[in-house]
């Protein structure tokens, strides 16, 4: 990046000098604007946070009840020393936002994580025209192309029925914030019994419900009597539960994983999941290219995941000014 | 149900039971032509019509409209070329392949003068998983992860046949036509091929003290040779020699199989089937296995090659004589008939001999004899129950191999990594795996040495051509190449997934003759070296 850029990379993360604000900072700062509540974007310790209001309950859960968070509506403009800052739907998870900053007629957009697919649990991605786009690139290879999400939910449902017919439980591993609720929304009205939840899922599912998102009926696993033999259940669990002793009580079960990474057979087999469901909260390759084109950005800065291929493609095939936001900045993506 | 459904189900599970269920389901329900091709594909008999990976890649690049560098990035990330291409060319709204692979192979693949059209129409329709399977088929790299034993069990279960009938039928040679399925089910397959070998009986490793086997008088003891286990079949005036991997090795050993020998020996007995061992032999003792291996590797067998490693066939069992199947007889009776037959043949044809019976007064004397194994160039002793019939496969209880140190095991190569320094451009650091209780591979040792430069280079090329996935500098490869590893000890190790670790593992030799499905089992290793009950 260049010394006079409106958004710059500092040791603590993306920084906008004239407004003195950070976006998703990695360390404690005075003013932190958050794109969403995933742990690699929302970190505790900053003096003041700004975030989309639908994310408030989840952020409070994650950052602590005493964190000072200013809730904002999508599109609501905050003026800071001549810089106009606003949040716009990113379609990633509930309350996820792109950050738009405008200063002296120049517009920068930091997408945070986003996707272009339908998701009944959050507001749909909004195309925000800009001069410079800082875009995520988690799945920026042409092998990552998603199928319609409803087809994937159909697969999950068929798998659950297949397991139930064999008297087995189906344990679906997926991230507790976003993916789990998306699966539950897809199953709404289609399950003949409550979906069982791992303890880590419960508060987040409750937060979605409180925000008015309609989800399939659920029940906590821990409320089922000890020693009760479970069969034909669908259980949602965080990936860390796979292979743990917690899994023992499900006896004869198949284990699935819902993630964009499941697109690649080797990734699925290496992790020894019985079934992989390709369901991602990130944009696929066509989604990334479409976003670059629709925002009309003349300059593209790629971050997270396959940022090198995206930047090179934007330069060579699309003729844009494109670069990678310093290697090593992005951590492992929760997906 | 088609082959793709079967492959998908096999691919989705790690459990042998689930794999068996998928196979049984398939054999019970699928069209006979589809079954015929599926069996051929499981056995590794792929249709001869191929496309080179280079041509496939060129077509895919055109189709997917991605720049070459992005294709390479994608390949590096996915790891598998067939899958990379499948993911790149998949059309919008694709469907799983819904026809028969039999039709695809017979109607589109085999008659095609140019595979481009067949590929492009596949790319227009089918989903990435189906395309992945097709690409593997077309490049000759399709491997169905089903061991032959499991295949046999599934067919026998689905069609309510004795396993031995299925095993024999398959051994007779498989053609991918519906008639093969019919012949197998009626038993006609076995009768039709003159050279058909009988399924081999296999021995289990003897753990602990042999006294547990009871009086030594009940047992016949032989040396455990370090050669090629083989079946020598004389029928219809011809000789066929089969390796235990059910490969026909007749041409490799003219001394044991030439036409004049067949003509002469069939005058006395029309059919003879011997179970025994092919050994390199000089000065009254076996040559190291390596010499035999070198000979097998030679393209042409000239006088020099034959003289460098003269061979003998040492028979330890007689399975058929004059059309009569002797396998149901007790070993002691088969041995008597073997002695008579070999005894008559041997003077004129010293290369055909019997494997001698090792005599001893008791187990203690036998144990002492076993200690001389290394000097004799043998691996230890074989202990066989005199009253036992000849069974197929590994049946615990009748045949025991009582091997002497060095501690060795057979393991399959699963990961490879480039070496350091002057070997940094070659894959020289290997990880080997054995089978766990579910038939899944679990890494058990890393070894860096034991191959010569030529073998290292051969293996390096093979690794590059058969890489499945890349994790940084490490590549996973198809589990195919089997090696015998020697090691100094074994101990429990909670740090390793196998729960055991080997001390100073090294490669003893490359087992070209051994299929990956027959590598050692973790439970056997634990029982053999760590004590405790055998699994
Ligand atoms: Zn996220
Ligand atoms: Zn993220």
């Amino acid at each position: 990046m260049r010394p006079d850029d409106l958004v710059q990379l500092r040791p603590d993360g993306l920084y906008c000098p004239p407004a003195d604000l950070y976006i998703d900072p990695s360390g404690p700062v005075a003013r932190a604007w958050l794109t969403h509540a995933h742990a690699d974007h929302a970190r505790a310790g900053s003096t003041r946070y700004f975030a989309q209001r639908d994310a408030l309950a989840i952020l409070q859960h994650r950052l602590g009840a005493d964190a000072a968070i200013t809730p904002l509506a999508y599109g609501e403009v905050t003026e800071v020393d001549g810089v106009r800052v606003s949040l716009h739907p990113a379609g990633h998870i509930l309350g996820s936002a792109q950050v738009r900053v405008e200063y002296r007629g120049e517009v920068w957009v930091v997408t945070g994580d986003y996707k272009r697919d339908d998701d009944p649990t959050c507001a749909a991605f909004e195309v925000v025209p800009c001069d410079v786009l800082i875009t995520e690139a988690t799945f920026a290879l042409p092998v990552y192309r998603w199928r319609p999400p409803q087809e994937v939910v159909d697969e999950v449902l068929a798998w659950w029925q297949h397991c139930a017919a064999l008297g087995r439980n189906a344990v679906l591993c997926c991230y507790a914030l976003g993916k789990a609720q998306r699966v539950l929304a897809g199953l709404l009205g289609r399950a003949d019994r409550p979906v069982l939840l791992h303890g880590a899922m419960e508060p987040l599912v409750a937060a979605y419900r409180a925000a008015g998102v309609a989800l399939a009926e659920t029940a906590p696993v821990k409320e089922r009597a000890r020693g009760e033999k479970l069969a034909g259940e669908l259980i949602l669990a965080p990936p860390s539960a796979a292979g743990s002793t917690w899994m023992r009580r499900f006896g004869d079960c198949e284990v699935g994983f819902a993630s964009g990474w499941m697109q690649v057979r080797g990734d699925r087999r290496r992790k020894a999941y019985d079934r992989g469901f390709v369901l991602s909260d990130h944009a696929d390759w066509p989604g990334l290219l479409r976003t670059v084109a629709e925002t009309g950005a003349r300059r593209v800065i790629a971050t997270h995941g396959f940022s090198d291929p995206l930047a090179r493609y934007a330069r060579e095939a699309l003729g844009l000014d494109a670069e990678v936001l310093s290697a090593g900045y992005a951590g492992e993506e929760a997906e | 149900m088609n082959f793709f459904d079967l492959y998908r189900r096999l691919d989705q599970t790690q459990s042998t039971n689930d794999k068996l269920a998928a196979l049984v389901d398939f054999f019970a329900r699928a069209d006979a032509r589809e079954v015929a091709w599926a069996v051929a594909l499981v056995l590794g008999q792929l249709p001869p019509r191929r496309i080179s990976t280079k041509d496939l890649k060129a077509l895919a690049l055109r189709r997917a409209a991605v720049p070459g560098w992005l294709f390479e990035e994608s390949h590096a990330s996915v790891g598998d070329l067939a899958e990379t291409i499948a993911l790149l060319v998949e059309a919008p709204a694709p469907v799983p392949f819904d026809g028969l692979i039999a039709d695809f192979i017979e109607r589109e693949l085999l008659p095609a003068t140019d595979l481009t059209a067949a590929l492009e129409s596949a790319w227009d329709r089918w989903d990435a998983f189906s395309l992945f399977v097709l690409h593997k088929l077309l490049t000759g790299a399709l491997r169905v992860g089903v061991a032959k034993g499991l295949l046999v069990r599934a067919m026998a279960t689905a069609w309510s046949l004795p396993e031995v009938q299925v095993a024999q039928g398959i051994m007779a040679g498989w053609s991918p036509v519906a008639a093969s399925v019919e012949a197998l089910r009626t038993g006609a397959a076995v009768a039709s091929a003159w050279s058909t070998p009988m399924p081999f009986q296999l021995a289990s490793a003897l753990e602990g003290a042999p006294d547990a086997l009871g009086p030594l008088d009940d047992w016949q003891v032989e040396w455990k040779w370090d050669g090629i286990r083989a079946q020598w079949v004389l029928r219809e005036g011809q000789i066929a020699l089969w390796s235990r991997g059910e490969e026909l090795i007749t041409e490799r050993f003219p001394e044991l199989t030439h036409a004049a020998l067949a003509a002469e020996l069939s005058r006395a007995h029309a059919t003879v089937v011997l179970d025994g061992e092919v050994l390199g032999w000089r000065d009254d003792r076996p040559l190291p296995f390596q010499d035999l291996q070198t000979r097998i590797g030679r393209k042409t067998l000239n006088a020099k090659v034959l003289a460098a490693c003269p061979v003998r066939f040492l028979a330890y069992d007689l399975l058929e004589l004059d059309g009569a199947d002797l396998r149901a007889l007790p070993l002691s009776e088969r041995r008597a008939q073997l002695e008579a037959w070999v005894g008559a043949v041997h003077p004129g044809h010293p290369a055909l001999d019997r494997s001698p019976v090792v005599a001893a007064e008791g187990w203690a004397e036998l144990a002492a004899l076993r200690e001389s194994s290394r000097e004799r160039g043998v691996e230890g002793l074989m202990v066989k129950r005199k009253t036992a019939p000849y069974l197929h496969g590994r049946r615990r209880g009748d045949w025991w191999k009582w091997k002497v140190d060095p501690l060795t095991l057979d393991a399959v190569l699963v990961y490879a990594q480039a070496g350091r320094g002057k070997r940094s451009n070659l894959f020289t650091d290997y990880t080997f795996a054995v089978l766990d209780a579910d038939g899944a591979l679990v890494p058990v040792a890393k070894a860096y040495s034991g191959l010569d430069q030529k073998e290292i280079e051969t293996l390096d090329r093979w690794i590059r051509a058969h890489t499945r996935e890349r994790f940084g500098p490490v590549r996973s490869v198809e589990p195919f190449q089997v090696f015998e590893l020697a090691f100094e000890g074994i101990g429990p190790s909670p740090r390793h997934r196998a729960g055991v670790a080997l001390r100073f593992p090294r490669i003893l030799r490359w087992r070209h003759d051994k299929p990956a499905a027959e590598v050692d089992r973790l439970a056997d290793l634990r029982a053999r070296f760590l004590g405790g009950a055998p699994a």
Side-chain angles (χ1 to χ4, degrees):
Chain A
M1 303 185 86
R2 300 152 202 173
D4 58 342
D5 278 344
L6 180 55
V7 176
Q8 310 208 345
L9 186 59
R10 294 277 170 94
D12 281 330
L14 287 171
Y15 179 64
C16 178
D20 186 26
L21 65 82
Y22 277 88
I23 299 165
D24 293 348
S26 55
V29 300
R31 279 187 279 188
W33 285 65
L34 300 182
T35 62
H36 64 292
H38 275 148
D40 55 330
H41 297 258
R43 294 183 180 84
S46 289
T47 314
R48 169 127 235 119
Y49 293 95
F50 299 83
Q52 207 280 333
R53 63 186 177 202
D54 294 342
L56 189 62
I58 302 164
L59 283 170
Q60 219 87 57
H61 172 71
R62 295 221 147 163
L63 300 176
D66 55 350
I69 306 172
T70 304
L72 299 165
Y74 286 127
E76 182 182 340
V77 176
T78 305
E79 288 249 9
V80 193
D81 295 333
V83 184
R84 291 166 60 84
V85 191
S86 53
L87 299 175
H88 302 268
H92 177 56
I93 61 170
L94 183 63
S96 66
Q98 311 173 69
V99 181
R100 178 188 188 276
V101 277
E102 181 182 353
Y103 186 58
R104 294 181 180 163
E106 190 180 48
V107 177
W108 286 55
V109 167
V110 177
T111 64
D113 295 339
Y114 69 97
K115 69 173 174 289
R116 306 298 306 263
D117 290 323
D118 293 340
D119 181 347
T121 69
C122 62
F125 180 90
E126 178 191 324
V127 174
V128 183
C130 58
D131 298 295
V132 183
L133 180 71
I134 301 183
T135 175
E136 67 135 317
T138 306
F139 289 107
L141 281 179
V143 292
Y144 294 108
R145 293 183 292 154
W146 312 143
R147 287 191 297 119
Q150 198 51 49
E151 281 182 28
V152 184
V153 172
D154 290 348
E155 273 178 26
V156 171
L157 193 64
W159 172 61
W160 181 8
Q161 287 159 352
H162 153 87
C163 288
L166 294 172
R168 292 176 179 171
N169 295 303
V171 179
L172 182 65
C173 293
C174 53
Y175 283 97
L177 173 54
K179 196 68 60 67
Q181 293 77 19
R182 198 173 170 204
V183 170
L184 289 171
L187 292 174
L188 181 64
R190 306 181 67 191
D192 63 356
R193 57 169 104 183
V195 176
L196 301 185
L197 297 182
H198 182 279
M201 302 274 184
E202 289 166 30
L204 297 165
V205 167
Y208 268 64
R209 284 215 175 88
V213 180
L215 304 176
E217 197 189 336
T218 59
V221 170
K222 66 172 190 285
E223 280 179 13
R224 302 295 289 259
R226 276 242 165 268
E228 178 194 348
K229 194 171 171 343
L230 300 175
E233 307 287 352
L234 175 67
I235 300 116
L236 299 191
S240 57
S244 74
T245 52
W246 179 82
M247 294 280 292
R248 274 199 210 135
R249 74 166 300 185
F250 305 116
D252 194 9
C253 66
E254 292 187 16
V255 184
F257 187 33
S259 160
W261 299 113
M262 294 297 98
Q263 173 83 335
V264 172
R265 182 172 169 269
D267 286 323
R268 174 166 58 76
R269 290 173 68 86
R270 186 158 59 243
K271 298 202 165 93
Y273 291 109
D274 297 306
R275 294 290 290 269
F277 299 97
V278 187
L279 189 67
S280 177
D281 286 329
H282 293 269
D284 61 0
W285 175 254
L288 293 166
L289 296 188
R290 181 180 153 203
T291 303
V292 167
E294 288 176 354
T295 58
R298 56 178 160 73
R299 182 170 162 210
V300 173
I301 301 169
T303 173
H304 283 66
F306 294 103
S307 44
D308 280 304
L310 183 60
R312 183 169 173 189
Y313 192 85
R315 262 195 320 273
E316 296 183 6
L318 308 177
L320 297 173
D321 185 0
E323 73 212 79
V324 165
L325 188 69
S326 130
Y329 162 67
E332 180 73 3
E333 190 61 26
E335 160 58 24
Chain B
M1 203 176 180
N2 65 19
F3 174 73
F4 294 86
D5 300 320
L6 172 66
Y7 193 96
R8 198 184 302 260
R9 278 185 67 182
L10 294 171
D11 197 52
Q12 281 171 349
T13 180
Q14 322 274 337
S15 130
T16 306
N17 279 339
D18 284 353
K19 287 189 180 190
L20 180 66
L23 287 161
V24 170
D25 206 23
F26 175 76
F27 289 133
R29 288 163 51 194
D31 176 275
R33 287 173 55 235
E34 190 74 352
V35 168
W37 269 111
V39 171
L41 297 176
V42 170
L43 293 172
Q45 301 173 11
L46 306 191
R49 196 77 176 82
R50 299 284 161 77
I51 185 166
S52 70
T53 51
K54 189 167 148 270
D55 290 349
L56 179 64
K57 208 169 117 176
L59 278 174
L61 269 172
R62 252 200 347 246
R63 172 75 169 215
V66 296
W69 66 265
L70 190 52
F71 183 95
E72 294 307 333
E73 288 273 359
S74 300
H75 184 194
S77 170
V78 172
D80 182 278
L81 185 73
E83 187 185 1
T84 306
I85 293 176
L87 292 170
L88 288 175
V89 302
E90 189 189 55
V95 293
F97 189 101
D98 55 5
L100 299 182
I101 201 164
D103 286 336
F104 177 82
I105 293 171
E106 293 170 12
R107 294 177 194 167
E108 296 191 52
L109 187 56
L110 296 176
T113 46
D114 175 8
L115 289 178
T116 311
L119 261 173
E120 297 209 313
S121 84
W123 289 350
D124 286 338
R125 283 176 288 171
W126 312 129
D127 68 3
F129 185 85
S130 308
L131 294 178
F132 159 73
V133 176
L134 285 181
H135 296 157
K136 287 276 180 195
L137 180 77
L138 290 171
T139 54
L142 184 67
R143 302 277 178 281
V144 189
V146 170
K148 196 181 279 183
L150 187 62
L151 176 74
V152 167
R153 236 164 91 204
M155 292 167 104
T157 310
W159 301 330
S160 309
L161 295 173
E163 278 185 35
V164 59
Q165 181 181 329
V166 175
Q168 265 181 310
I170 288 180
M171 235 180 171
W174 187 260
S175 332
V177 292
S180 294
V181 178
E182 188 54 31
L184 187 74
R185 297 181 67 168
T186 58
V190 181
S192 65
W194 72 267
S195 74
T196 307
M198 305 189 162
F200 287 81
Q201 175 160 4
L202 307 176
S204 315
L206 183 64
E207 302 114 17
D211 321 41
L213 298 178
L216 180 55
D217 268 355
D218 295 346
W219 300 88
Q220 173 179 308
V221 182
E222 303 154 27
W223 295 114
K224 181 170 186 338
W225 302 107
D226 187 16
I228 298 170
R229 176 88 183 273
Q231 216 172 104
W232 185 93
V233 179
L234 169 69
R235 289 196 198 106
E236 301 187 8
Q238 306 169 70
I239 296 168
L241 195 63
W242 294 87
S243 78
R244 215 192 89 195
E246 285 149 38
E247 231 180 303
L248 207 46
I249 51 173
T250 315
E251 315 279 298
R252 306 274 87 197
F253 300 103
E255 305 99 309
L256 307 173
T257 59
H258 62 89
L261 181 70
E264 185 197 327
L265 296 183
S266 55
R267 251 178 261 133
H269 297 279
T271 77
V272 182
V273 177
L274 304 171
D275 181 11
E277 195 107 355
V278 177
L279 288 161
W281 199 276
R282 177 175 293 126
D283 301 334
D284 233 20
R285 55 174 290 133
L287 290 168
F289 184 80
Q290 201 58 45
D291 295 7
L292 199 54
Q293 190 132 47
T294 307
R295 173 171 158 166
I296 298 172
R298 299 272 185 243
K299 273 212 181 67
T300 49
L301 290 174
N302 54 31
K304 197 173 143 220
V305 172
L306 295 183
C309 181
V311 295
R312 306 180 77 194
F313 182 82
L314 296 190
Y316 27 71
D317 221 320
L318 178 64
L319 309 181
E320 179 181 311
L321 188 67
D322 275 330
D325 184 345
L326 307 184
R327 287 176 295 172
L329 297 179
L331 172 62
S332 52
E333 285 183 39
R334 299 199 306 275
R335 180 74 197 188
Q337 298 204 41
L338 173 72
E339 293 280 350
W341 185 82
V342 176
V345 167
H346 176 62
H349 304 283
L352 285 177
D353 201 350
R354 72 225 102 171
S355 177
V357 167
V358 179
E361 286 299 319
W363 290 112
E365 189 188 338
L366 209 53
L369 274 168
R370 174 171 158 271
E371 291 309 312
S372 70
S373 294
R374 206 171 290 136
E375 296 93 87
R376 294 171 188 269
V378 301
E379 292 187 315
L381 294 167
M382 290 295 303
V383 179
K384 300 176 180 173
R385 192 187 296 279
K386 285 180 181 168
T387 55
Y390 189 95
L391 302 168
H392 73 98
R394 197 181 309 279
R395 302 295 166 96
R396 286 182 78 81
D398 291 340
W399 281 26
W400 300 100
K401 46 187 175 192
W402 192 18
K403 278 204 200 182
V404 76
D405 300 342
L407 306 176
T408 66
L409 63 88
D410 292 329
V412 63
L413 176 69
V414 287
Y415 300 109
Q417 188 172 357
R420 300 233 172 83
K422 78 179 173 68
R423 282 176 155 188
S424 63
N425 59 340
L426 283 175
F427 287 99
T428 54
D429 300 1
Y430 315 113
T431 302
F432 298 95
V434 295
L435 294 165
D436 71 12
D438 283 325
L441 289 167
V442 35
V444 72
K446 278 187 180 208
Y448 309 91
S449 62
L451 295 179
D452 63 30
Q453 191 60 26
K454 214 175 131 234
E455 286 176 314
I456 288 173
E457 284 167 18
T458 308
L459 189 56
D460 178 80
R461 277 194 301 278
W462 184 90
I463 288 165
R464 288 170 198 279
H466 295 83
T467 296
R468 275 185 163 171
E469 301 151 31
R470 298 158 201 238
F471 323 104
V474 180
R475 293 179 175 210
S476 78
V477 297
E478 291 163 17
F480 181 79
Q481 300 293 1
V482 176
F483 294 82
E484 183 174 12
L485 308 181
F487 53 96
E488 298 307 316
I490 188 166
S493 166
R495 265 190 324 116
H496 292 82
R497 190 148 69 84
V500 296
L502 304 186
R503 227 152 47 79
F504 302 121
R506 59 206 182 268
I507 298 170
L508 211 52
R509 58 181 169 146
W510 194 342
R511 296 288 308 254
H512 297 282
D513 59 319
K514 193 152 203 178
E518 290 182 24
V519 298
D520 278 285
R521 295 188 163 272
L522 192 55
D524 292 344
L525 293 183
R526 283 213 184 92
R528 249 159 81 200
F529 302 117
L530 295 177

